[in-house]
Amino acid sequence: MSSTLASNTIHSEMIGNAAWQDRKDAAIARGEGNLAPIFIDRAEGSQMWDVEGNRYLDFGTGIAVVNTGHLHPKVKAAVAGQLDRLSHSCVMITPYANAVELAEKLNTLAPGDTPKKTMFVTTGAEAVENAIKIARSHTRRRGVIAFDGGYHGRTMMTLGLTGKVAPYKTRFGPFPGEIYRAPYPIPGHGITEEMALKALDTLFRTDLDPADCAAMILEPVQGEGGFYPAPTAWFRRLREICDEHGIVLIADEVQTGFGRTGKMFACEHAGIEPDLMTMAKGMAGGFPMAGVVGKAAIMDAVDPGGLGGTYAGSPIGCAAALAVLEVIEEEGLVDRSQAIGARFQTALSDLQARYPDVVGDVRCERGAMIALELVEEGSMSRPNPALLKDVMAQCHNRGLIILACGMYGNVIRFLPALTISDAEIDEGLRLFSEALEDAVDGQT
Ligand code: PMP
């Protein structure tokens, strides 16, 4: 573990990580597992301290949530100010101004010129559920197409859409009907754009009449699936196919939104205006907040009362989200995201050159949504999840939090805060490089 640093606030019970892990294992269902036995006591910016006072650099941001850093002073002040006025009255009963202000902002920020409307919920999965409801209500159709390797959440409908079995779907079926799956092109893994389009065409001929298809949902950069950007030409072709058949195109921007990929929303990389867009995670700096933003005519297909939720668009979440948007703008975090990607690119490419047998690919072309794929014998068709486990443990021991993803559990993902300093990036990359070196030595 890294040495004890600036922490003065050791947890009041004064027990360490191992003891908390034992208590967690006894008290919380094992299905809610944890990646590392590290119990965080407090955090600020890109740093966290555990209950033993160990310091960590955070390259995970709680899975792309605290894009503006932990407890950004502006977000903290906005939430504190809101707590003096109102915590809840229910937006469906007696609404409040900051929900309207936030919706107005999001409607202007969403890609494309078509007039937009917003609806609020609390989690990413709920946003996806509601996007499907809206698409079905608008089209009066049932079929929904999702893609291999896609991740859309843990509720029943979103699990049906999610294209990765273990650990998400195992033993949870049956899932809702009328969900169809098509390949997502990953040329590095042998699935070309042509193959993906051909398979979609086959789906329309064998299983689902496009005239019965309500929606297509995809992540503009696959997240849990392995950080694969949607190839631009393929994504644009999907837009055309949806237009030809009156299918609602839903971009799931839950992980990619709010500057994460070097654009405000990742669809902008392909110049695409989706019909509906789901958002959560980076939206409110760590406060549970999510929504769907979409073309007004589609959003308004649902009658009053058909959408919502008790905590939908809580005043605290709205205050936090408005502050996050201000910070992104004031601090130029969309541009900063691109610069972060470029800084990682240089260091990770060096590592790839040093370890060509195990670093199969480095993906930094989508801002601060960065991946490094670990393989055997330099072959992308030979994933190396064992090495990933070692590297991750080495990183955590050295005081660097990184995450994993990928269909084969062999992709390291880096999701630093967009407010991270160059010095912190360099420190984290040095720790990562040492961790990789030791893990590779340990394997040979
Ligand atoms: N969609 C995508 C693309 C996601 O990455 C996630 C979360 N990882 C979700 C939906 C679900 O969000 P939540 O966990 O907030 O329900």
Side-chain angles (χ1 to χ4, degrees), residues 180-434:
Y180 301 83
R181 197 170 305 289
Y184 185 94
I186 306 177
H189 285 291
I191 303 160
T192 64
E193 295 174 49
E194 294 70 34
M195 284 160 75
L197 287 171
K198 177 91 181 93
L200 187 61
D201 182 65
T202 304
L203 170 62
F204 283 146
R205 289 170 196 280
T206 57
D207 254 344
L208 175 64
D209 183 343
D212 267 344
C213 182
M216 238 183 238
I217 179 162
L218 79 156
E219 300 157 86
V221 182
Q222 276 198 342
E224 311 297 309
F227 280 28
Y228 300 105
T232 296
W234 174 76
F235 198 1
R236 289 187 181 156
R237 182 67 198 123
L238 289 192
R239 177 67 276 180
E240 285 168 9
I241 292 169
C242 287
D243 287 341
E244 278 162 32
H245 299 290
I247 298 167
V248 173
L249 181 66
I250 305 171
D252 183 348
E253 293 255 11
V254 166
Q255 190 157 164
T256 50
F258 300 97
R260 174 53 57 189
T261 70
K263 300 273 184 198
M264 192 62 178
F265 295 103
C267 285
E268 294 167 38
H269 287 284
I272 286 192
E273 178 177 12
D275 297 310
L276 301 177
M277 193 166 78
T278 55
M279 49 182 66
K281 289 189 187 283
M283 186 171 180
F287 293 87
M289 184 70 185
V292 182
V293 180
K295 294 180 178 168
I298 300 178
M299 293 294 290
D300 274 342
V302 181
D303 293 331
L307 303 174
T310 306
Y311 298 110
S314 95
I316 293 168
C318 288
L322 283 164
V324 162
L325 289 174
E326 260 180 57
V327 171
I328 291 177
E329 198 180 318
E330 282 170 11
E331 299 186 17
L333 295 186
V334 175
D335 289 344
R336 177 64 188 150
S337 178
Q338 288 188 8
I340 291 170
R343 201 166 185 94
F344 271 77
Q345 175 83 63
T346 309
L348 297 183
S349 299
D350 276 359
L351 271 185
Q352 188 176 22
R354 267 171 60 201
Y355 298 101
D357 284 353
V358 296
V359 180
D361 195 21
V362 163
R363 293 189 282 282
C364 303
E365 69 272 35
R366 288 291 184 270
M369 190 164 179
I370 298 155
L372 181 145
E373 193 150 340
L374 292 172
V375 300
E376 288 176 21
E377 293 177 9
S379 165
M380 287 286 277
S381 53
R382 298 196 50 194
N384 194 343
L387 180 61
L388 178 133
K389 277 208 171 111
D390 286 354
V391 174
M392 194 130 74
Q394 294 269 6
C395 283
H396 295 165
N397 284 339
R398 284 176 160 80
L400 175 69
I401 300 299
I402 53 162
L403 312 177
C405 61
M407 190 72 92
Y408 306 99
N410 69 318
V411 180
I412 289 180
R413 54 172 156 175
F414 303 95
L415 291 162
L418 309 181
T419 51
I420 195 168
S421 68
D422 283 349
E424 287 167 325
I425 295 175
D426 295 348
E427 182 189 350
L429 284 169
R430 183 179 47 75
L431 294 173
F432 180 73
S433 161
E434 288 168 13

